[in-house]
């Protein structure tokens, strides 16, 4: 009886903070992208700003690669959001916009 109570006392806080699902392998599911979001993502990849940034790449220069990768993530996110706005679609991510990792 005491073991069951101790186990319950340990699992209860885990369930409340979402760690229980992660420990058991049930990761939160992201919503699949709609066709419009996929089109906007492709449009963002082909935007003039991203193309111009890619011209600055110097193979083998890790400092340059790190800087350009950070800038590219920012440009892609901005172009994606702008495309969604022009189409009158809502932004994914709820209250706070999603940050690329």
């Amino acid at each position: 009886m005491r073991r069951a109570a101790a186990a319950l006392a340990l699992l209860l806080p885990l369930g409340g903070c979402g760690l229980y699902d992660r420990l058991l392998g049930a990761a939160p599911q992201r919503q699949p992208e709609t066709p419009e979001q996929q089109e906007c993502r492709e449009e963002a990849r082909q935007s003039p700003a991203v193309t111009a940034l890619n011209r600055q790449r110097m193979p083998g220069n890790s400092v340059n690669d790190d800087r350009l990768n950070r800038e590219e993530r920012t440009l892609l996110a901005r172009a994606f959001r702008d495309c969604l706005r022009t189409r009158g679609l809502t932004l994914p991510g709820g209250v706070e916009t999603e940050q690329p990792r």
Side-chain angles (χ1 to χ4, degrees):
M1 181 75 170
R2 287 185 178 176
R3 282 188 182 170
L8 182 61
L10 289 175
L11 291 177
L12 197 58
L14 291 177
C17 65
L19 289 176
Y20 183 74
D21 288 339
R22 288 188 211 129
L23 291 174
L24 294 179
Q29 299 294 319
R30 291 183 66 169
Q31 295 292 329
E33 286 191 339
T34 65
E36 293 85 7
Q37 289 174 332
Q38 291 172 353
E39 289 173 10
C40 281
R41 199 142 322 262
E42 184 60 33
E43 185 177 313
R45 282 188 204 101
Q46 296 176 2
S47 71
V50 172
T51 304
L53 186 70
N54 284 329
R55 287 190 196 119
Q56 298 176 28
R57 294 209 181 266
M58 293 185 298
N61 186 338
S62 62
V63 174
N64 184 34
D65 285 340
D66 292 342
R67 179 184 64 85
L68 292 178
N69 288 338
R70 282 192 311 270
E71 287 184 32
E72 182 181 40
R73 285 192 303 268
T74 302
L75 289 174
L76 286 172
R78 184 177 299 137
F80 177 67
R81 288 192 309 266
D82 291 346
C83 176
L84 289 176
R85 279 190 198 110
T86 58
R87 294 176 183 218
L89 301 172
T90 59
L91 300 173
V95 176
E96 185 177 347
T97 56
E98 292 180 343
Q99 297 296 322
R101 294 180 184 202

